[in-house]
Amino acid sequence: LRYPDLDIRGRTYLLPAYLALRLRAAGIRTVWISGWTLRSIPELTWMVSILKRAGLRVVFDPIDPICEFLAAMREGEEGNEAEDRVCIDRMRAVYQQCDLVMSVTPELQELLVSNGAPSDRMLTARWTTDGELFHPARCGRSLKQRLGLSEDTFLAGWLGTMEPFKGLLEVILPMIEESARNSDGIHFVIAGRGSLEPEVRKWIAARDGLPVTVLPSIPYAEAPDFTASLDAYLVPTNPKTMYAQSICPIKCFDALAMGTPLVLTRTRATGFLTQYGKLVSFADFTPHSFLEQLHRVRDMVRSEGRPAPCDGYSHQRVSVEMADALENLFASKK
């Protein structure tokens, strides 16, 4: 829930109270809070506390857990241990009040439990991609035309929030430079916004002639076209962080659903993707390793064509697991 017209006091105190009253009046007894939309710890703390005091049951899916995500972005910086401890303690109190906490990978569940989440009230269910939106039949693959590229151009892309630990500075930019030196004929596209965007744009502007285009954030409705237009989807994450070892980025499932080959870092949470064969290539967290795998994917696509899409995971399928888990949980509490 986002109400931009409310000030911080309204979002923190009035909105939870209003929701509690209206939901109870409507006969609703369970509220699902998503970490996608509620990322302020004070707002989350009061939301859960007020809803629980009103007698409502609360289900929370952290998605990108606040404390672990912040710690990953600050990896290598000094002086944040006390701040991280306070953050973890406050989130532990939130988790303890929730009736159910949904985790998107088993590894993330382990990490959350190690930071105080209640293991007896947690469920792992992979929240993946929208199988109705990410479907090859619905996409025009128009990105190459939009960029003025021929359909024969091999297009490799990165999409996301431009933040530390996501491999932009360590892997993507040096790889583009190495590819240009080799005259590989590969064109790259980087799309997104974030704290590193000025540095990324400045780095590219200082090197004339690099085969790369930088785009702003891609609206979710246009993400299927973006994904389908790529010949390879690049997903590097720094495996040194516990957070990166615990997540499987949702964009991986977007690519699988569109039949777009993935080149990504192998972590504890992404290793299971080996079951998808030619759609997935693992690389070390280095520019050269990623470029080697990108060359391999390019040669495969040119000789064999794109792999077939995979529909192994989708929101629609996972929601059935979640609904069953909720029904079982609340049936046991009657």
Side-chain angles (χ1 to χ4, degrees):
L1 294 168
R2 285 180 176 169
Y3 289 83
D5 54 325
L6 289 176
D7 63 14
I8 185 64
R9 293 167 298 179
R11 292 195 305 272
T12 304
Y13 309 114
L14 298 181
L15 178 59
Y18 171 79
L19 287 175
L21 291 172
R22 292 298 300 269
L23 292 174
R24 283 187 61 84
I28 294 171
R29 291 294 178 265
T30 303
V31 181
W32 184 308
I33 299 175
S34 175
W36 280 121
T37 55
L38 193 53
R39 303 195 61 79
S40 162
I41 293 181
E43 290 179 37
L44 177 62
T45 298
W46 280 100
M47 176 71 76
V48 173
S49 178
I50 291 173
L51 292 177
K52 290 297 297 180
R53 290 179 185 181
L56 295 164
R57 296 175 297 206
V58 175
V59 178
F60 178 50
D61 67 87
I63 303 294
D64 290 334
I66 299 169
C67 303
E68 291 77 9
F69 184 81
L70 292 175
M73 288 201 298
R74 295 197 299 250
E75 183 75 12
E77 298 181 12
E78 297 181 358
N80 292 303
E81 292 82 1
E83 184 178 344
D84 288 344
R85 190 72 259 163
V86 170
C87 175
I88 288 172
D89 289 343
R90 295 176 73 180
M91 282 305 301
R92 181 188 295 118
V94 170
Y95 291 137
Q96 293 294 337
Q97 293 186 76
C98 293
D99 294 270
L100 184 64
V101 179
M102 309 291 269
S103 171
V104 291
T105 69
E107 295 79 12
L108 181 56
Q109 180 170 330
E110 291 178 18
L111 180 56
L112 293 176
V113 169
S114 72
N115 282 338
S119 59
D120 60 332
R121 277 175 277 141
M122 294 198 72
L123 171 71
T124 295
R126 294 190 183 277
W127 195 245
T128 53
T129 194
D130 186 337
E132 295 179 357
L133 184 63
F134 282 84
H135 194 286
R138 299 190 58 182
C139 297
R141 299 187 183 179
S142 58
L143 183 59
K144 289 183 181 180
Q145 182 179 4
R146 175 184 169 186
L147 298 180
L149 304 172
S150 71
E151 286 301 315
D152 294 333
T153 303
F154 190 86
L155 183 62
W158 182 96
L159 170 65
T161 306
M162 296 186 184
E163 299 294 348
F165 84 84
K166 293 193 175 183
L168 274 170
L169 303 183
E170 303 92 336
V171 173
I172 298 297
L173 297 184
M175 177 180 61
I176 294 172
E177 193 169 31
E178 183 178 346
S179 179
R181 286 198 303 267
N182 297 340
S183 300
D184 287 337
I186 300 173
H187 192 88
F188 296 85
V189 58
I190 298 173
R193 298 193 185 281
S195 65
L196 295 180
E197 183 181 0
E199 186 173 354
V200 169
R201 290 185 177 274
K202 181 179 179 180
W203 188 95
I204 292 173
R207 294 159 176 80
D208 292 333
L210 288 181
V212 58
T213 303
V214 181
L215 300 176
S217 298
I218 303 295
Y220 186 67
E222 298 177 14
D225 276 332
F226 177 90
T227 304
S229 297
L230 301 177
D231 296 299
Y233 208 134
L234 306 170
V235 189
T237 52
N238 189 339
K240 292 182 179 180
T241 68
M242 292 179 63
Y243 175 76
Q245 286 288 342
S246 302
I247 61 166
C248 183
I250 290 178
K251 59 177 68 71
C252 294
F253 300 102
D254 297 346
L256 294 175
M258 306 307 293
T260 301
L262 273 166
V263 181
L264 73 159
T265 315
R266 182 191 293 273
T267 67
R268 292 175 62 231
T270 61
F272 79 102
L273 293 175
T274 53
Q275 64 185 293
Y276 297 111
K278 294 180 179 180
L279 270 171
V280 178
S281 300
F282 288 107
D284 297 331
F285 192 67
T286 66
H288 185 70
S289 180
F290 260 79
L291 190 57
E292 280 187 333
Q293 291 302 316
L294 190 57
H295 288 163
R296 191 191 66 78
V297 171
R298 178 193 59 186
D299 295 343
M300 176 196 70
V301 170
R302 287 178 175 174
S303 62
E304 304 175 22
R306 290 167 66 104
C310 169
D311 62 354
Y313 294 97
S314 69
H315 291 344
Q316 288 72 22
R317 292 184 60 178
V318 174
S319 63
V320 176
E321 300 176 19
M322 292 181 172
D324 290 342
L326 291 172
E327 184 175 351
N328 293 336
L329 173 74
F330 298 137
S332 66
K333 291 189 175 185
K334 289 181 180 179

